[in-house]
Amino acid sequence: ENNEFVLLFPNPANSEVNIQTSFGFSGIMELYDLLGKKIRVSVVNPGLNRLNTTSLNNGIYLAKVFNEKGELVQLEKLVFNK
């Protein structure tokens, strides 16, 4: 049974995105623009993670969160509107 969960909020985001994960979850989040270019890779630890987005342009991005096994556990569009 898979009890992994990942919540990304707020969406739309301003200066940061919160990444809330289930207890014991570790993995990475890859952020892509709509052209498919990988913009950033961030380590995701158990609990609450904060991703600073002030250096990113306004627009729509695709967030992919993978667990330690490399399995995709979350795929979500994020809007940055500063």
Side-chain angles (χ1 to χ4, degrees), residues 2-3 6 9 14 18 23 51 58 68-69 78 80:
N2 187 346
N3 291 324
V6 178
F9 63 95
N14 187 339
N18 297 300
F23 178 77
L51 175 67
N58 286 346
E68 290 178 307
K69 300 174 190 168
L78 291 177
F80 297 150

Side-chain angles (χ1 to χ4, degrees), residues 6 19 21 25-32 38 40-45 63-74:
V6 178
I19 308 162
T21 69
F25 179 90
S26 293
I28 61 166
M29 183 178 90
E30 297 178 349
L31 197 61
Y32 294 84
K38 191 185 295 183
R40 186 179 290 179
V41 177
S42 303
V43 173
V44 178
N45 296 306
K64 296 181 180 181
V65 182
F66 299 90
N67 63 18
E68 290 178 307
K69 300 174 190 168
E71 300 165 333
L72 182 67
V73 294
Q74 184 77 8

Side-chain angles (χ1 to χ4, degrees), residues 5-19:
F5 73 84
V6 178
L7 300 174
L8 304 174
F9 63 95
N11 193 7
N14 187 339
S15 61
E16 71 178 17
V17 173
N18 297 300
I19 308 162

Side-chain angles (χ1 to χ4, degrees), residues 33-64:
D33 66 17
L34 287 184
L35 299 176
K37 179 182 176 189
K38 191 185 295 183
I39 303 295
R40 186 179 290 179
V41 177
S42 303
V43 173
V44 178
N45 296 306
L48 183 63
N49 301 260
R50 288 189 169 90
L51 175 67
N52 186 309
T53 60
T54 54
S55 64
L56 300 174
N57 293 327
N58 286 346
I60 300 172
Y61 293 81
L62 194 61
K64 296 181 180 181

